[in-house]
Amino acid sequence: MPQPLVRAALAGSVLALAMTASASASSDAAWADFQKEVATRCKAAATKDSGVKTWTVAVSAFGSQTFGMAVLTGKAQGGVPVKYACAMNKQTKAVEVAGGEPSGWVVR
C-alpha cells in the first residue's frame, strides 16, 4: 500500500515542478514583451515630440504597480543631446513623455 502513495506523491511533485518551471518561463516572456512594448511606445511618443528617430532606451524591468517606465536619450539636429522620461499606463497603454530640451532637466 505505501508504494502507490509514494508513486502518487512523487508524480505530484514532478508535476508541480514542471508547472512552476512553465509558469516562470511564461512570466519571463510576458515581462520581455512588456518591456518591448514600453520601449516601442515610448520611442514613438518621443519621436513625435522631437523628430529624433534614433534612441537609446533604458526600460525599468517591471515598472511601478501602475506604469511602465523608461528613459530615452538621443541627439537632435546639430548633435544636441536630448533626454526624455516616459511613463506608459499598464492598463490603458497611454504614454506620456517629459523632457526633450537640453534645459528641461534640473539637477538638485
Side-chain angles (χ1 to χ4, degrees):
M1 198 65 128
Q3 281 190 351
L5 285 175
V6 170
R7 282 188 203 146
L10 184 57
S13 296
V14 169
L15 181 60
L17 284 172
M19 289 174 65
T20 300
S22 174
S24 176
S26 67
S27 288
D28 289 346
W31 282 118
D33 288 345
F34 165 75
Q35 293 153 7
K36 286 178 191 169
E37 181 175 21
V38 170
T40 299
R41 288 179 180 266
C42 286
K43 283 193 260 186
T47 296
K48 182 178 178 182
D49 189 69
S50 68
V52 174
K53 293 186 172 133
T54 303
W55 297 99
T56 299
V57 183
V59 177
S60 173
F62 308 107
S64 70
Q65 185 172 350
T66 307
F67 298 99
M69 308 294 288
V71 174
L72 298 87
T73 55
K75 294 199 186 240
Q77 267 187 331
V80 177
V82 292
K83 185 187 299 185
Y84 280 89
C86 179
M88 181 189 86
N89 185 297
K90 289 180 176 180
Q91 294 296 317
T92 67
K93 309 297 185 196
V95 173
E96 289 190 22
V97 293
E101 62 285 344
S103 61
W105 294 89
V106 178
V107 177
R108 302 233 185 254

